[in-house]
Amino acid sequence: MNTFTINFRGRKAVKLLNFIIDKIKKCDGKKSAPLDNKESRSPDWQPDCIDVREGTMRFGNNFKSYLRILKSFCENISELTEKIKNPTAENLSDYAISVHGIRGGCLAISANTCVARAQELELAAKAGNLDEVLRKNGEFIELLEETITQIKEFTELKEKE
């Protein structure tokens, strides 16, 4: 069975994109089983959390590749999301690294609102501003979770077509 995974721990978005491109080249195109979706969406529905057109363009206008990347993002981002749930003064440096990884993953899929929020948190963490991180972190995690939910619905809808 061929799986499609991404390591979001890279420090540079360029490294992440190169890794994603390498994985696309190695992927045999098999589809995973669709997720259970209880909501009914119209076939032309698109999530508002990602720029589908921009994201598709990032992958050479290959929509199938972009869908595989979206699925991989959802499967792999939860590890980093867990790492940012409890920021403290002691783990602020690790927090900044994890948020940077999340930002790179979000950039790769054109989740631009998440990119901007992650950048704010990363800069605050690097500046040692724990109060700002604590104030904005919960909202950011909710945004990430909503983004993941919408992406899962979108990829399932497109796999049915």
Side-chain angles (χ1 to χ4, degrees):
M1 180 174 167
N2 188 3
T3 60
F4 195 79
T5 61
I6 297 174
N7 182 355
F8 286 99
R9 293 183 183 163
R11 293 188 181 253
K12 302 269 185 195
V14 174
K15 286 182 181 178
L16 176 64
L17 290 173
N18 287 335
F19 184 80
I20 291 169
I21 290 167
D22 288 341
K23 286 292 186 182
I24 290 171
K25 290 176 183 176
K26 293 176 185 175
C27 185
D28 66 359
K30 292 182 181 176
K31 291 183 180 180
S32 299
L35 302 168
D36 289 333
N37 183 5
K38 295 179 182 173
E39 281 189 57
S40 178
R41 300 276 191 187
S42 74
D44 41 341
W45 172 81
Q46 292 190 3
D48 57 7
C49 60
I50 56 174
D51 185 331
V52 174
R53 185 171 157 222
E54 178 183 296
T56 303
M57 287 174 30
R58 283 185 193 275
F59 297 96
N61 288 319
N62 186 326
F63 187 68
K64 287 183 180 182
S65 292
Y66 181 58
L67 286 177
R68 287 194 302 265
I69 297 302
L70 289 174
K71 288 180 67 173
S72 181
F73 174 86
C74 292
E75 292 167 1
N76 293 285
I77 199 68
S78 60
E79 179 184 336
L80 285 177
T81 305
E82 283 300 314
K83 288 183 177 184
I84 68 167
K85 285 192 174 178
N86 298 305
T88 64
E90 294 78 28
N91 70 7
L92 208 51
S93 177
D94 290 338
Y95 174 90
I97 292 168
S98 295
V99 170
H100 179 82
I102 291 170
R103 182 170 62 99
C106 291
L107 180 63
I109 64 166
S110 296
N112 299 325
T113 302
C114 287
V115 171
R117 299 274 174 81
Q119 184 170 8
E120 290 174 11
L121 286 166
E122 180 183 353
L123 293 173
K126 286 180 177 178
N129 190 343
L130 180 60
D131 290 337
E132 183 175 353
V133 169
L134 291 172
R135 191 171 58 253
K136 294 180 177 180
N137 195 54
E139 184 180 306
F140 178 61
I141 291 171
E142 288 176 13
L143 176 64
L144 274 174
E145 290 170 350
E146 176 59 26
T147 298
I148 292 165
T149 299
Q150 285 189 25
I151 291 171
K152 285 179 178 180
E153 291 175 9
F154 179 68
T155 57
E156 180 186 90
L157 180 70
K158 293 304 174 184
E159 285 179 340
K160 290 179 181 177
E161 292 181 356

